[in-house]
Amino acid sequence: MDQVQTYITMRSVLFCRVVAVFLLAGLSVSKAEDQNETIPIQDVGPWVLITHPPKLERITEKIPYTINLTLTYSGSEELPEYVTSEALFVVKVFTTNDLTVVLNREEIVFTLEDVNEGNNKSLQVTGQVIGYVDLNFVLDILPNNGSVAADTIAILSDYVVTVVRESDTMDNIFTVIMIIMAVLNTINMGCALDMAIVKQNILRPVGPIVGFISQFTFMPLFAFGVALLMIDDPLMGFGLLVIGVCPGGIASNFWTLLLDGDVNLSITMTFVSSIAAMGMMPLWLWLLSGYFLPEGSSVQVPFLDMAVSLILLTFPLGIGLLIRRFKLSLAEFLTVKIIKPFSFFFIIFIFGLGFYSLSHIFILLDWTLVAAGLAVSLAGFVFGAFFAWITRLGRPQIIAVSLETAMQNANIAFVLLKTTLPTPYSDIAALPAIAQILMTTSILLVCLVIVMAYRCCKKCGKKEEKTNLQVENEEETAKALMLKDYTDGSNGNYRNGKQVETPPPNYYGGQFPPEFSWARQPSLIVPSSPTLDPRIIA
């Protein structure tokens, strides 16, 4: 009789708990629907796994967090026959991404007493890198401490865990340094800017039109196609689309300078594309973003940041033009001695610092993202160069158009993703853009090494050719001098019964005329020549 009463009491307690669970779940569902948020999906069945908190969002990297788990039985029928007092209930945890989080254990064991009394078990979750992951829980029932499960039940799916970065300090330092160095180098470029050529590019806008069509027609469509074909995650596909619709940036001007392209055309195209992006970016995002984002999502185009990027281009250029107007000697010094070494240092420094700043998320770049970024970069270079070539532009202009097409203003892309998506979803969406930037920079570094090696070989060849020519000239001069009698009948010097000509006095100790250039070379002592004159030997 006591056992029956105990059993009825236990069943009543379980029933009350189940009612409370469903009430709480109903409130959670209503709240989630109001806020458009994702909640864990409780699989329908007699076994219920209660989690606290209901989801684990925005946990910080490298810091452990605890999820409390409670296993209950809510079935209206009695427990199965194989469930005895010695049975074990093993809850296994599976993750959709092994890189984002680390679990302190993958199995949580409950006893029948834990189930009846509602005892909690803890699961420790530590974020490793920014991102999001779903935890799925499966229950194995082991009768009589057996090792073979009598039943396997999926009890909870899509428990969301999102991880945010530990600190943004490094990113902020990187951004400040990049802006300062970009402004300084843009001032240097302003000193070398020829406004007459810029005016000519505007009046006869073949180059800017080619760049506009390449950048705002080909690049968005190609990036969209690659995102659909190669990237499964819609957020990452959206990120690749965003980088494809962005205008050109200041970096393309620096690379154009280093690779001997038309800097005046490059700066003109950057200015034109930055203005055109005010209308072209919203148009393309309105047409194509619906393929990647849920219905009703709004994309926040960062018009303010686009205006700031335009100011960061035009204001330093204006300072450089003023230096060229009022301090021509300083402008010549910056143009001849400073601009190329500083551009090279800027690119290498920013690439290295950016690599270090983003190194913690490189483990998330799989081969599909790298391949997608490489495809977009190569296509931009090739199409821009081909389109410029068929319009009969010159080699420097082809280089400028190719670089302007393939290189986008990444800062605008990152700001757009930040304003459109919450953290860490915006960081994950930025991965294809990061892969594209890495591939573009790597290709350009290889091209720069090839160009620098070609310049060195060409310079050494010219020097060797010049040296050989000088030797030939000197030999011819020496032979001519050995056969020549230097007589003018005025200096009174005689050799072999003839008066001998000597170099004019104004050449002593100074520059020799071409026919006496050998006189400074002590190894060249020609018999019966003016080298016997003591004034020349001295």
Side-chain angles (χ1 to χ4, degrees), residues 459-475 521:
K459 187 176 180 181
C460 292
K462 284 185 177 181
K463 185 181 295 185
E464 184 178 353
E465 182 180 352
K466 184 177 180 181
T467 303
N468 294 335
L469 184 61
Q470 286 178 344
V471 171
E472 292 176 2
N473 291 336
E474 289 169 357
E475 290 177 353
Q521 302 182 20

Side-chain angles (χ1 to χ4, degrees), residues 257-458:
L257 173 71
L258 291 174
L259 296 176
D260 296 331
D262 190 337
V263 178
N264 297 287
L265 176 59
S266 178
I267 293 175
T268 304
M269 287 191 297
T270 301
F271 182 80
V272 171
S273 67
S274 298
I275 295 177
M278 299 285 186
M280 297 304 297
M281 279 189 68
L283 174 63
W284 281 116
L285 292 173
W286 176 71
L287 290 173
L288 303 178
S289 63
Y291 288 88
F292 305 101
L293 298 180
E295 186 177 354
S297 300
S298 60
V299 180
Q300 304 295 327
V301 179
F303 292 105
L304 179 60
D305 293 271
M306 294 166 66
V308 170
S309 297
L310 196 58
I311 293 172
L312 287 176
L313 173 66
T314 55
F315 185 70
L317 286 176
I319 296 177
L321 290 172
L322 290 176
I323 294 175
R324 178 171 178 167
R325 174 67 177 82
F326 295 103
K327 289 287 185 180
L328 184 58
S329 59
L330 177 59
E332 291 178 350
F333 173 75
L334 293 176
T335 302
V336 176
K337 299 292 185 180
I338 300 299
I339 185 169
K340 280 198 172 182
F342 190 85
S343 298
F344 179 75
F345 173 77
F346 169 78
I347 288 173
I348 297 300
F349 180 79
I350 294 301
F351 182 76
L353 187 60
F355 192 92
Y356 174 76
S357 175
L358 299 173
S359 59
H360 64 292
I361 65 171
F362 284 164
I363 60 174
L364 300 178
L365 293 177
D366 58 16
W367 72 269
T368 56
L369 296 181
V370 175
L374 180 61
V376 173
S377 299
L378 287 177
F381 287 127
V382 172
F383 182 84
F386 177 74
F387 197 16
W389 177 75
I390 63 175
T391 55
R392 297 181 177 274
L393 294 179
R395 178 178 174 275
Q397 290 74 37
I398 291 175
I399 293 174
V401 173
S402 177
L403 292 173
E404 191 71 19
T405 302
M407 301 188 69
Q408 279 72 39
N409 192 330
N411 181 60
I412 292 177
F414 295 147
V415 172
L416 187 148
L417 293 173
K418 283 285 186 184
T419 55
T420 301
L421 302 170
T423 304
Y425 300 101
S426 58
D427 299 311
I428 297 301
L431 288 175
I434 294 173
Q436 195 262 352
I437 294 169
L438 288 175
M439 292 297 100
T440 301
T441 307
S442 301
I443 293 171
L444 290 176
L445 285 175
V446 172
C447 293
L448 182 60
V449 170
I450 295 174
V451 169
M452 293 177 68
Y454 174 76
R455 289 174 185 167
C456 292
C457 294
K458 191 174 181 181

Side-chain angles (χ1 to χ4, degrees), residues 68-201:
N68 293 316
L69 306 174
T70 304
L71 181 64
T72 61
Y73 181 77
S74 60
S76 57
E77 301 177 357
E78 296 183 2
L79 290 170
E81 295 181 355
Y82 56 81
V83 177
T84 63
S85 59
E86 297 181 355
L88 296 179
F89 306 88
V90 181
V91 176
K92 296 182 178 180
V93 189
F94 301 92
T95 64
T96 56
N97 182 357
D98 295 332
L99 300 175
T100 304
V101 298
V102 172
L103 308 177
N104 68 326
R105 50 180 174 170
E106 297 180 352
E107 295 183 354
I108 303 98
V109 180
F110 292 86
T111 63
L112 183 60
E113 182 181 359
D114 295 328
V115 173
N116 293 334
E117 297 183 2
N119 295 331
N120 292 331
K121 299 286 185 176
S122 63
L123 174 66
Q124 194 173 85
V125 180
T126 305
Q128 295 297 301
V129 65
I130 58 172
Y132 56 90
V133 62
D134 291 334
L135 303 184
N136 299 310
F137 298 86
V138 175
L139 173 63
D140 283 346
I141 302 177
L142 307 179
N144 300 323
N145 289 323
S147 58
V148 179
D151 198 0
T152 300
I153 307 167
I155 53 176
L156 184 65
S157 303
D158 300 334
Y159 182 90
V160 178
V161 179
T162 59
V163 184
V164 298
R165 61 186 58 186
E166 184 178 3
S167 174
D168 292 332
T169 303
M170 192 63 190
D171 290 343
N172 296 332
I173 294 174
F174 172 70
T175 302
V176 171
I177 294 176
M178 182 178 66
I179 291 175
I180 293 174
M181 295 184 69
V183 168
L184 292 175
N185 207 37
T186 307
I187 293 174
N188 295 338
M189 298 187 70
C191 295
L193 191 64
D194 191 337
M195 291 305 297
I197 299 178
V198 174
K199 182 179 179 181
Q200 183 181 359
N201 288 329

